[in-house]
Amino acid sequence: MAKNVAQSPLETSMASLDQRLAMAKRCSHEGVVAGAKAAVLASIATAIPTVSSFASARMLPWARANLNHTAQALIISTVAGAAYFIVADKTVLATARQNSFKHASKN
């Protein structure tokens, strides 16, 4: 026996809240993935000229003479961290913007 009962406003708002929560999780996951990809690329792009003695000796003799391994690691990790947060933030905002436009067009 099926009942035809209208949903209460509380049930409707809970369903909407669950939908928004799922959308927020998807947005943040996309941001994490994009940020991780950017961090890996930034690490590689920074590590090659920083760690490689050939490249840094030719391009930046001062850096080769004055930066020890700790300073090189700090430069690489700083660039990777910055790339991660910048790209993740931009991805989350872009995904949220797209979802808000989709939500507005449905209403």
Side-chain angles (χ1 to χ4, degrees):
M1 267 196 184
K3 293 182 182 177
N4 250 348
V5 179
Q7 286 185 330
S8 71
L10 181 60
E11 291 173 348
T12 305
S13 66
M14 289 300 289
S16 176
L17 182 63
D18 288 341
Q19 189 178 27
R20 286 183 181 179
L21 183 61
M23 195 180 316
K25 284 182 181 181
R26 187 176 57 86
C27 289
S28 63
H29 178 69
E30 288 179 18
V32 167
V33 170
K37 288 178 183 178
V40 168
L41 289 175
S43 296
I44 292 169
T46 308
I48 291 171
T50 305
V51 176
S52 169
S53 60
F54 179 72
S56 62
R58 291 210 175 235
M59 290 185 264
L60 302 168
W62 175 88
R64 179 77 176 136
N66 294 313
L67 295 178
N68 60 13
H69 295 293
T70 305
Q72 292 174 358
L74 183 61
I75 291 169
I76 295 166
S77 63
T78 302
V79 170
Y84 173 82
F85 284 111
I86 290 169
V87 172
D89 183 49
K90 287 185 178 236
T91 303
V92 168
L93 290 174
T95 308
R97 188 177 304 115
Q98 289 173 356
N99 290 333
S100 68
F101 287 143
K102 286 179 187 176
H103 182 68
S105 66
K106 286 181 183 179
N107 289 340

PDB file of all heavy atoms in Angstrom, residues 23-35 84-100:
ATOM      1  N   MET A  23      27.513  17.991  -3.102  1.00  0.00           N
ATOM      2  CA  MET A  23      28.101  18.878  -4.102  1.00  0.00           C
ATOM      3  C   MET A  23      29.371  19.534  -3.550  1.00  0.00           C
ATOM      4  O   MET A  23      30.377  19.654  -4.255  1.00  0.00           O
ATOM      5  CB  MET A  23      27.087  19.957  -4.506  1.00  0.00           C
ATOM      6  CG  MET A  23      27.450  20.703  -5.764  1.00  0.00           C
ATOM      7  SD  MET A  23      26.269  21.976  -6.246  1.00  0.00           S
ATOM      8  CE  MET A  23      24.700  21.195  -6.033  1.00  0.00           C
ATOM      9  N   ALA A  24      29.350  19.917  -2.278  1.00  0.00           N
ATOM     10  CA  ALA A  24      30.527  20.540  -1.662  1.00  0.00           C
ATOM     11  C   ALA A  24      31.678  19.544  -1.566  1.00  0.00           C
ATOM     12  O   ALA A  24      32.842  19.896  -1.806  1.00  0.00           O
ATOM     13  CB  ALA A  24      30.175  21.067  -0.278  1.00  0.00           C
ATOM     14  N   LYS A  25      31.366  18.295  -1.238  1.00  0.00           N
ATOM     15  CA  LYS A  25      32.414  17.282  -1.176  1.00  0.00           C
ATOM     16  C   LYS A  25      33.036  17.045  -2.550  1.00  0.00           C
ATOM     17  O   LYS A  25      34.246  16.888  -2.685  1.00  0.00           O
ATOM     18  CB  LYS A  25      31.847  15.968  -0.638  1.00  0.00           C
ATOM     19  CG  LYS A  25      31.615  15.978   0.848  1.00  0.00           C
ATOM     20  CD  LYS A  25      31.109  14.632   1.335  1.00  0.00           C
ATOM     21  CE  LYS A  25      30.863  14.664   2.821  1.00  0.00           C
ATOM     22  NZ  LYS A  25      30.389  13.370   3.316  1.00  0.00           N
ATOM     23  N   ARG A  26      32.208  17.027  -3.586  1.00  0.00           N
ATOM     24  CA  ARG A  26      32.706  16.822  -4.935  1.00  0.00           C
ATOM     25  C   ARG A  26      33.594  18.001  -5.353  1.00  0.00           C
ATOM     26  O   ARG A  26      34.658  17.825  -5.942  1.00  0.00           O
ATOM     27  CB  ARG A  26      31.550  16.656  -5.922  1.00  0.00           C
ATOM     28  CG  ARG A  26      32.015  16.276  -7.323  1.00  0.00           C
ATOM     29  CD  ARG A  26      30.850  16.031  -8.253  1.00  0.00           C
ATOM     30  NE  ARG A  26      29.943  17.168  -8.351  1.00  0.00           N
ATOM     31  CZ  ARG A  26      30.115  18.187  -9.183  1.00  0.00           C
ATOM     32  NH1 ARG A  26      31.142  18.224  -9.983  1.00  0.00           N
ATOM     33  NH2 ARG A  26      29.242  19.171  -9.216  1.00  0.00           N
ATOM     34  N   CYS A  27      33.160  19.220  -5.018  1.00  0.00           N
ATOM     35  CA  CYS A  27      33.959  20.410  -5.355  1.00  0.00           C
ATOM     36  C   CYS A  27      35.313  20.376  -4.663  1.00  0.00           C
ATOM     37  O   CYS A  27      36.345  20.654  -5.281  1.00  0.00           O
ATOM     38  CB  CYS A  27      33.222  21.678  -4.937  1.00  0.00           C
ATOM     39  SG  CYS A  27      31.793  22.075  -5.920  1.00  0.00           S
ATOM     40  N   SER A  28      35.319  20.020  -3.383  1.00  0.00           N
ATOM     41  CA  SER A  28      36.579  20.000  -2.650  1.00  0.00           C
ATOM     42  C   SER A  28      37.480  18.877  -3.146  1.00  0.00           C
ATOM     43  O   SER A  28      38.701  19.045  -3.217  1.00  0.00           O
ATOM     44  CB  SER A  28      36.333  19.879  -1.150  1.00  0.00           C
ATOM     45  OG  SER A  28      35.698  18.665  -0.859  1.00  0.00           O
ATOM     46  N   HIS A  29      36.894  17.743  -3.523  1.00  0.00           N
ATOM     47  CA  HIS A  29      37.709  16.648  -4.057  1.00  0.00           C
ATOM     48  C   HIS A  29      38.361  17.057  -5.374  1.00  0.00           C
ATOM     49  O   HIS A  29      39.547  16.772  -5.596  1.00  0.00           O
ATOM     50  CB  HIS A  29      36.853  15.388  -4.253  1.00  0.00           C
ATOM     51  CG  HIS A  29      37.614  14.240  -4.831  1.00  0.00           C
ATOM     52  ND1 HIS A  29      38.593  13.576  -4.126  1.00  0.00           N
ATOM     53  CD2 HIS A  29      37.570  13.658  -6.051  1.00  0.00           C
ATOM     54  CE1 HIS A  29      39.113  12.629  -4.891  1.00  0.00           C
ATOM     55  NE2 HIS A  29      38.502  12.660  -6.061  1.00  0.00           N
ATOM     56  N   GLU A  30      37.602  17.717  -6.239  1.00  0.00           N
ATOM     57  CA  GLU A  30      38.178  18.196  -7.503  1.00  0.00           C
ATOM     58  C   GLU A  30      39.309  19.184  -7.236  1.00  0.00           C
ATOM     59  O   GLU A  30      40.329  19.181  -7.929  1.00  0.00           O
ATOM     60  CB  GLU A  30      37.104  18.844  -8.369  1.00  0.00           C
ATOM     61  CG  GLU A  30      36.133  17.862  -8.976  1.00  0.00           C
ATOM     62  CD  GLU A  30      35.061  18.544  -9.811  1.00  0.00           C
ATOM     63  OE1 GLU A  30      35.255  19.714 -10.200  1.00  0.00           O
ATOM     64  OE2 GLU A  30      34.043  17.898 -10.079  1.00  0.00           O
ATOM     65  N   GLY A  31      39.140  20.034  -6.239  1.00  0.00           N
ATOM     66  CA  GLY A  31      40.188  20.985  -5.882  1.00  0.00           C
ATOM     67  C   GLY A  31      41.443  20.308  -5.367  1.00  0.00           C
ATOM     68  O   GLY A  31      42.563  20.709  -5.715  1.00  0.00           O
ATOM     69  N   VAL A  32      41.269  19.258  -4.566  1.00  0.00           N
ATOM     70  CA  VAL A  32      42.418  18.526  -4.033  1.00  0.00           C
ATOM     71  C   VAL A  32      43.189  17.844  -5.157  1.00  0.00           C
ATOM     72  O   VAL A  32      44.417  17.901  -5.210  1.00  0.00           O
ATOM     73  CB  VAL A  32      41.957  17.498  -2.973  1.00  0.00           C
ATOM     74  CG1 VAL A  32      43.061  16.517  -2.630  1.00  0.00           C
ATOM     75  CG2 VAL A  32      41.482  18.208  -1.724  1.00  0.00           C
ATOM     76  N   VAL A  33      42.463  17.215  -6.069  1.00  0.00           N
ATOM     77  CA  VAL A  33      43.125  16.523  -7.183  1.00  0.00           C
ATOM     78  C   VAL A  33      43.877  17.521  -8.069  1.00  0.00           C
ATOM     79  O   VAL A  33      45.044  17.304  -8.423  1.00  0.00           O
ATOM     80  CB  VAL A  33      42.095  15.715  -8.007  1.00  0.00           C
ATOM     81  CG1 VAL A  33      42.701  15.191  -9.285  1.00  0.00           C
ATOM     82  CG2 VAL A  33      41.543  14.568  -7.178  1.00  0.00           C
ATOM     83  N   ALA A  34      43.227  18.614  -8.417  1.00  0.00           N
ATOM     84  CA  ALA A  34      43.885  19.616  -9.259  1.00  0.00           C
ATOM     85  C   ALA A  34      45.083  20.238  -8.538  1.00  0.00           C
ATOM     86  O   ALA A  34      46.138  20.476  -9.152  1.00  0.00           O
ATOM     87  CB  ALA A  34      42.895  20.700  -9.665  1.00  0.00           C
ATOM     88  N   GLY A  35      44.945  20.496  -7.249  1.00  0.00           N
ATOM     89  CA  GLY A  35      46.047  21.064  -6.476  1.00  0.00           C
ATOM     90  C   GLY A  35      47.231  20.123  -6.371  1.00  0.00           C
ATOM     91  O   GLY A  35      48.386  20.544  -6.461  1.00  0.00           O
ATOM     92  N   TYR A  84      49.873  24.250  -4.901  1.00  0.00           N
ATOM     93  CA  TYR A  84      48.739  23.430  -4.448  1.00  0.00           C
ATOM     94  C   TYR A  84      47.575  24.310  -3.999  1.00  0.00           C
ATOM     95  O   TYR A  84      46.446  24.141  -4.439  1.00  0.00           O
ATOM     96  CB  TYR A  84      49.167  22.503  -3.305  1.00  0.00           C
ATOM     97  CG  TYR A  84      48.001  21.774  -2.701  1.00  0.00           C
ATOM     98  CD1 TYR A  84      47.498  20.628  -3.299  1.00  0.00           C
ATOM     99  CD2 TYR A  84      47.379  22.245  -1.547  1.00  0.00           C
ATOM    100  CE1 TYR A  84      46.418  19.965  -2.771  1.00  0.00           C
ATOM    101  CE2 TYR A  84      46.300  21.583  -1.022  1.00  0.00           C
ATOM    102  CZ  TYR A  84      45.826  20.446  -1.629  1.00  0.00           C
ATOM    103  OH  TYR A  84      44.748  19.800  -1.097  1.00  0.00           O
ATOM    104  N   PHE A  85      47.853  25.238  -3.109  1.00  0.00           N
ATOM    105  CA  PHE A  85      46.769  26.049  -2.547  1.00  0.00           C
ATOM    106  C   PHE A  85      46.152  26.989  -3.580  1.00  0.00           C
ATOM    107  O   PHE A  85      44.948  27.201  -3.583  1.00  0.00           O
ATOM    108  CB  PHE A  85      47.253  26.817  -1.319  1.00  0.00           C
ATOM    109  CG  PHE A  85      47.375  25.937  -0.115  1.00  0.00           C
ATOM    110  CD1 PHE A  85      48.604  25.621   0.407  1.00  0.00           C
ATOM    111  CD2 PHE A  85      46.250  25.386   0.476  1.00  0.00           C
ATOM    112  CE1 PHE A  85      48.725  24.794   1.506  1.00  0.00           C
ATOM    113  CE2 PHE A  85      46.347  24.551   1.579  1.00  0.00           C
ATOM    114  CZ  PHE A  85      47.594  24.256   2.093  1.00  0.00           C
ATOM    115  N   ILE A  86      46.946  27.548  -4.443  1.00  0.00           N
ATOM    116  CA  ILE A  86      46.405  28.449  -5.460  1.00  0.00           C
ATOM    117  C   ILE A  86      45.490  27.702  -6.418  1.00  0.00           C
ATOM    118  O   ILE A  86      44.362  28.109  -6.684  1.00  0.00           O
ATOM    119  CB  ILE A  86      47.547  29.165  -6.220  1.00  0.00           C
ATOM    120  CG1 ILE A  86      48.236  30.164  -5.297  1.00  0.00           C
ATOM    121  CG2 ILE A  86      47.019  29.860  -7.466  1.00  0.00           C
ATOM    122  CD1 ILE A  86      49.533  30.724  -5.841  1.00  0.00           C
ATOM    123  N   VAL A  87      45.966  26.569  -6.930  1.00  0.00           N
ATOM    124  CA  VAL A  87      45.165  25.812  -7.892  1.00  0.00           C
ATOM    125  C   VAL A  87      43.946  25.188  -7.235  1.00  0.00           C
ATOM    126  O   VAL A  87      42.853  25.200  -7.807  1.00  0.00           O
ATOM    127  CB  VAL A  87      46.041  24.740  -8.596  1.00  0.00           C
ATOM    128  CG1 VAL A  87      45.198  23.814  -9.446  1.00  0.00           C
ATOM    129  CG2 VAL A  87      47.091  25.420  -9.444  1.00  0.00           C
ATOM    130  N   ALA A  88      44.102  24.663  -6.031  1.00  0.00           N
ATOM    131  CA  ALA A  88      42.952  24.068  -5.338  1.00  0.00           C
ATOM    132  C   ALA A  88      41.879  25.123  -5.074  1.00  0.00           C
ATOM    133  O   ALA A  88      40.680  24.870  -5.285  1.00  0.00           O
ATOM    134  CB  ALA A  88      43.401  23.429  -4.026  1.00  0.00           C
ATOM    135  N   ASP A  89      42.289  26.302  -4.638  1.00  0.00           N
ATOM    136  CA  ASP A  89      41.334  27.372  -4.371  1.00  0.00           C
ATOM    137  C   ASP A  89      40.602  27.791  -5.639  1.00  0.00           C
ATOM    138  O   ASP A  89      39.376  27.919  -5.650  1.00  0.00           O
ATOM    139  CB  ASP A  89      42.062  28.570  -3.763  1.00  0.00           C
ATOM    140  CG  ASP A  89      41.112  29.693  -3.403  1.00  0.00           C
ATOM    141  OD1 ASP A  89      40.093  29.425  -2.751  1.00  0.00           O
ATOM    142  OD2 ASP A  89      41.398  30.842  -3.789  1.00  0.00           O
ATOM    143  N   LYS A  90      41.343  27.976  -6.709  1.00  0.00           N
ATOM    144  CA  LYS A  90      40.719  28.382  -7.976  1.00  0.00           C
ATOM    145  C   LYS A  90      39.771  27.301  -8.496  1.00  0.00           C
ATOM    146  O   LYS A  90      38.716  27.612  -9.031  1.00  0.00           O
ATOM    147  CB  LYS A  90      41.780  28.703  -9.027  1.00  0.00           C
ATOM    148  CG  LYS A  90      42.488  30.002  -8.768  1.00  0.00           C
ATOM    149  CD  LYS A  90      43.437  30.325  -9.892  1.00  0.00           C
ATOM    150  CE  LYS A  90      44.081  31.656  -9.618  1.00  0.00           C
ATOM    151  NZ  LYS A  90      43.896  32.603 -10.667  1.00  0.00           N
ATOM    152  N   THR A  91      40.138  26.041  -8.336  1.00  0.00           N
ATOM    153  CA  THR A  91      39.288  24.944  -8.808  1.00  0.00           C
ATOM    154  C   THR A  91      38.005  24.861  -8.000  1.00  0.00           C
ATOM    155  O   THR A  91      36.921  24.694  -8.564  1.00  0.00           O
ATOM    156  CB  THR A  91      40.051  23.609  -8.730  1.00  0.00           C
ATOM    157  OG1 THR A  91      41.249  23.719  -9.483  1.00  0.00           O
ATOM    158  CG2 THR A  91      39.218  22.468  -9.280  1.00  0.00           C
ATOM    159  N   VAL A  92      38.111  24.979  -6.690  1.00  0.00           N
ATOM    160  CA  VAL A  92      36.913  24.930  -5.846  1.00  0.00           C
ATOM    161  C   VAL A  92      35.985  26.096  -6.171  1.00  0.00           C
ATOM    162  O   VAL A  92      34.767  25.927  -6.302  1.00  0.00           O
ATOM    163  CB  VAL A  92      37.300  24.924  -4.351  1.00  0.00           C
ATOM    164  CG1 VAL A  92      36.094  25.168  -3.465  1.00  0.00           C
ATOM    165  CG2 VAL A  92      37.949  23.602  -3.983  1.00  0.00           C
ATOM    166  N   LEU A  93      36.552  27.284  -6.340  1.00  0.00           N
ATOM    167  CA  LEU A  93      35.717  28.442  -6.672  1.00  0.00           C
ATOM    168  C   LEU A  93      35.062  28.310  -8.042  1.00  0.00           C
ATOM    169  O   LEU A  93      33.891  28.645  -8.219  1.00  0.00           O
ATOM    170  CB  LEU A  93      36.548  29.726  -6.609  1.00  0.00           C
ATOM    171  CG  LEU A  93      36.968  30.166  -5.212  1.00  0.00           C
ATOM    172  CD1 LEU A  93      37.898  31.367  -5.299  1.00  0.00           C
ATOM    173  CD2 LEU A  93      35.769  30.479  -4.357  1.00  0.00           C
ATOM    174  N   ALA A  94      35.809  27.804  -9.015  1.00  0.00           N
ATOM    175  CA  ALA A  94      35.243  27.628 -10.361  1.00  0.00           C
ATOM    176  C   ALA A  94      34.132  26.581 -10.354  1.00  0.00           C
ATOM    177  O   ALA A  94      33.078  26.778 -10.982  1.00  0.00           O
ATOM    178  CB  ALA A  94      36.336  27.219 -11.334  1.00  0.00           C
ATOM    179  N   THR A  95      34.326  25.492  -9.631  1.00  0.00           N
ATOM    180  CA  THR A  95      33.304  24.452  -9.556  1.00  0.00           C
ATOM    181  C   THR A  95      32.070  24.960  -8.819  1.00  0.00           C
ATOM    182  O   THR A  95      30.938  24.695  -9.233  1.00  0.00           O
ATOM    183  CB  THR A  95      33.859  23.205  -8.848  1.00  0.00           C
ATOM    184  OG1 THR A  95      35.076  22.822  -9.482  1.00  0.00           O
ATOM    185  CG2 THR A  95      32.882  22.052  -8.918  1.00  0.00           C
ATOM    186  N   ALA A  96      32.282  25.696  -7.755  1.00  0.00           N
ATOM    187  CA  ALA A  96      31.146  26.264  -7.024  1.00  0.00           C
ATOM    188  C   ALA A  96      30.378  27.263  -7.883  1.00  0.00           C
ATOM    189  O   ALA A  96      29.142  27.305  -7.854  1.00  0.00           O
ATOM    190  CB  ALA A  96      31.633  26.940  -5.745  1.00  0.00           C
ATOM    191  N   ARG A  97      31.108  28.050  -8.663  1.00  0.00           N
ATOM    192  CA  ARG A  97      30.458  29.006  -9.555  1.00  0.00           C
ATOM    193  C   ARG A  97      29.622  28.277 -10.601  1.00  0.00           C
ATOM    194  O   ARG A  97      28.481  28.659 -10.879  1.00  0.00           O
ATOM    195  CB  ARG A  97      31.511  29.886 -10.230  1.00  0.00           C
ATOM    196  CG  ARG A  97      30.926  31.035 -11.040  1.00  0.00           C
ATOM    197  CD  ARG A  97      32.002  31.926 -11.639  1.00  0.00           C
ATOM    198  NE  ARG A  97      32.917  32.451 -10.644  1.00  0.00           N
ATOM    199  CZ  ARG A  97      34.209  32.164 -10.575  1.00  0.00           C
ATOM    200  NH1 ARG A  97      34.756  31.351 -11.452  1.00  0.00           N
ATOM    201  NH2 ARG A  97      34.965  32.678  -9.654  1.00  0.00           N
ATOM    202  N   GLN A  98      30.161  27.216 -11.185  1.00  0.00           N
ATOM    203  CA  GLN A  98      29.415  26.434 -12.176  1.00  0.00           C
ATOM    204  C   GLN A  98      28.166  25.824 -11.553  1.00  0.00           C
ATOM    205  O   GLN A  98      27.093  25.840 -12.158  1.00  0.00           O
ATOM    206  CB  GLN A  98      30.286  25.313 -12.742  1.00  0.00           C
ATOM    207  CG  GLN A  98      31.380  25.789 -13.652  1.00  0.00           C
ATOM    208  CD  GLN A  98      32.319  24.661 -14.037  1.00  0.00           C
ATOM    209  OE1 GLN A  98      32.193  23.550 -13.559  1.00  0.00           O
ATOM    210  NE2 GLN A  98      33.270  24.961 -14.904  1.00  0.00           N
ATOM    211  N   ASN A  99      28.307  25.309 -10.339  1.00  0.00           N
ATOM    212  CA  ASN A  99      27.151  24.697  -9.676  1.00  0.00           C
ATOM    213  C   ASN A  99      26.104  25.732  -9.304  1.00  0.00           C
ATOM    214  O   ASN A  99      24.919  25.442  -9.350  1.00  0.00           O
ATOM    215  CB  ASN A  99      27.595  23.926  -8.438  1.00  0.00           C
ATOM    216  CG  ASN A  99      28.356  22.681  -8.781  1.00  0.00           C
ATOM    217  OD1 ASN A  99      28.162  22.101  -9.848  1.00  0.00           O
ATOM    218  ND2 ASN A  99      29.234  22.256  -7.904  1.00  0.00           N
ATOM    219  N   SER A 100      26.523  26.944  -8.960  1.00  0.00           N
ATOM    220  CA  SER A 100      25.548  27.960  -8.616  1.00  0.00           C
ATOM    221  C   SER A 100      24.786  28.397  -9.850  1.00  0.00           C
ATOM    222  O   SER A 100      23.586  28.667  -9.783  1.00  0.00           O
ATOM    223  CB  SER A 100      26.220  29.166  -7.950  1.00  0.00           C
ATOM    224  OG  SER A 100      27.034  29.850  -8.862  1.00  0.00           O
TER     225      SER A 100
END
